[in-house]
Amino acid sequence: MNSLPEAATPAAEPGETTLGDHVLGQLRRLGATVGLSEADTALYGQVLLDSLAGSARRPLSLPPASPSFLSDDHTPVEFSLASTADAAPALRVLVEPGWAHEDMGDSGRAGLEATRAMAARWDFSTEQLDALEDLFLPAAAEGPLSLWYALDLRAGGVPGVKVYLNPSAAGPEHAARTVREALRRLGYDEAFAQLPPAAGYPFLALDLGDWKSPRVKVYVKHAGMSADDACALSHSSGASAADIRSFFHTAAGSLAPSGREADGTRRLLRRSALTCHSFTEGDSEPSGFTLHIPVRDYVRDDEEALARATALLTRFGMDPTALSRSLGALTRRRLSDGVGLIAYLALVYERNRQPRITAYLSSEAYLTRPPQEQDAQAGLLPAQRTKNTSNPGREAADHASPHTAQKEVTWSRTASKL
């Protein structure tokens, strides 16, 4: 499917696990945990492999093909589980189709090609994406990403499709202007004025294909967020300040490492929190609000992250057992042996719908972060970031994706494969 040139993929030795083997096995097991049929899971898996093209055949004995900021270990695939009180959990998968391309322009073109192939398969329009191509997919693109897609994996073999675009493609200094112009072109002339103050705009996302109310979503980064800050950021109907505050404190725990101001206010000082503000046709104000907490930076290990997620799911009347089963579908390692399998926890509000809690789950194809000690003094400074000296355009620069980003300095090769 991908006709763009990419680095030659070394042939895997007989019996050697490839990236495709790894993520496809995870997808099959996750599909079984949420009740997807084998036929649906096989179809979605083939689309995933097709979009990764030759890089799906890359042996896992080799390092990642490029420093993808989709995940902490540079795996170009991430899963998520979305739970509500009134429905079964929904499985999603996020993919960087242009992962093997070091050049961001080439990566974006590969992503666009993969998206158009899906549009042909499932008969949906890319008109909105086409209208933004010059803004987000320039020939000389900058930044840690170009285009990612996500599939909401539904029964029947027709998913919901989303694309994630980088507002800093023409340079971070132009991100706000790019977001404003994109919203204007899509018919949301007043939307930018409704967004909160931002430390950055990591993403603009579009719903494509089969959605009841297609959304345009703007992700906003917030440095040093407190619970009060989070409560003040929601303009969406139905978003409860009490629920947001409870979610913030449970997801962030003791906030160690964190900072405490003289009045006792605690703030997130490692990886930044994100909010997402969605707009639907005919709305003058945001129709949805999401708070994303990077839980992996505020826990010792994944055992603690799962405990926090379980407490939140239970509080909001959701079944926590699907999440526990999903972690078992991803890895056989002990949860206490690493951190980052649960990358983010998000509280989602959409107008006239039940609140949703989404757990973003790392594939860990390459590495597992070791458990981290919660030294309160260390929290007085932001965590360091890894730089990619071979390609400065892909440095994290405190970038935060909907699910991950900002690489940690230390790693361990904990076996995480099934």
Side-chain angles (χ1 to χ4, degrees), residues 166-181:
N166 176 23
S168 297
E173 68 276 16
H174 301 302
R177 185 174 65 191
T178 297
V179 170
R180 183 187 291 109
E181 173 60 14

Side-chain angles (χ1 to χ4, degrees), residues 202-264:
F203 293 98
L204 183 140
L206 301 172
D207 286 345
L208 303 178
D210 184 19
W211 297 90
K212 290 181 179 179
S213 299
R215 300 157 298 173
V216 177
K217 301 190 295 180
V218 180
Y219 289 78
V220 178
K221 189 178 78 172
H222 306 276
M225 177 185 277
S226 70
D228 287 342
D229 294 336
C231 292
L233 294 172
S234 170
H235 296 169
S236 173
S237 62
S240 160
D243 284 349
I244 292 172
R245 189 179 304 278
S246 176
F247 177 86
F248 182 96
H249 285 303
T250 302
S254 64
L255 301 185
S258 66
R260 183 192 290 269
E261 298 181 352
D263 63 358

Side-chain angles (χ1 to χ4, degrees), residues 141-378:
E142 299 183 26
L145 73 139
S146 189
L147 184 152
W148 299 344
Y149 75 79
L151 301 181
D152 187 17
L153 304 182
R154 301 169 182 170
V158 180
V161 181
K162 310 176 206 179
V163 292
Y164 294 87
L165 303 168
N166 176 23
S168 297
E173 68 276 16
H174 301 302
R177 185 174 65 191
T178 297
V179 170
R180 183 187 291 109
E181 173 60 14
L183 291 170
R184 186 195 67 78
R185 291 188 190 183
L186 296 172
Y188 300 97
D189 292 8
E190 307 302 321
F192 189 81
Q194 301 294 325
L195 297 174
Y201 300 94
F203 293 98
L204 183 140
L206 301 172
D207 286 345
L208 303 178
D210 184 19
W211 297 90
K212 290 181 179 179
S213 299
R215 300 157 298 173
V216 177
K217 301 190 295 180
V218 180
Y219 289 78
V220 178
K221 189 178 78 172
H222 306 276
M225 177 185 277
S226 70
D228 287 342
D229 294 336
C231 292
L233 294 172
S234 170
H235 296 169
S236 173
S237 62
S240 160
D243 284 349
I244 292 172
R245 189 179 304 278
S246 176
F247 177 86
F248 182 96
H249 285 303
T250 302
S254 64
L255 301 185
S258 66
R260 183 192 290 269
E261 298 181 352
D263 63 358
T265 301
R266 289 185 176 273
R267 298 187 178 275
L268 303 181
L269 291 186
R270 280 195 167 178
R271 203 177 316 243
S272 299
L274 300 178
T275 58
C276 174
H277 307 265
S278 60
F279 299 87
T280 54
E281 187 175 358
D283 286 322
S284 59
E285 295 186 349
S287 59
F289 169 80
T290 304
L291 172 62
H292 298 261
I293 299 294
V295 63
R296 67 197 184 284
D297 284 283
Y298 300 95
V299 293
R300 180 189 182 278
D301 53 36
D302 286 307
E303 188 171 59
E304 185 177 355
L306 177 59
R308 294 191 192 177
T310 298
L312 284 168
L313 290 165
T314 302
R315 182 196 183 282
F316 282 84
M318 304 169 192
D319 181 6
T321 60
L323 176 58
S324 180
R325 292 197 306 269
S326 295
L327 298 184
L330 289 173
T331 183
R332 284 200 182 115
R333 74 164 172 83
R334 297 185 305 176
L335 296 182
S336 58
D337 285 345
V339 65
L341 192 63
I342 303 178
Y344 269 80
L345 293 173
L347 176 62
V348 186
Y349 284 93
E350 292 179 19
R351 188 174 297 154
N352 301 321
R353 296 185 63 181
Q354 292 278 347
R356 184 168 71 245
I357 290 178
T358 302
Y360 296 93
L361 310 177
S362 301
S363 174
E364 292 190 347
Y366 294 100
L367 294 170
T368 297
R369 286 174 54 186
Q372 57 192 2
E373 297 303 321
Q374 298 298 291
D375 183 347
Q377 293 301 312

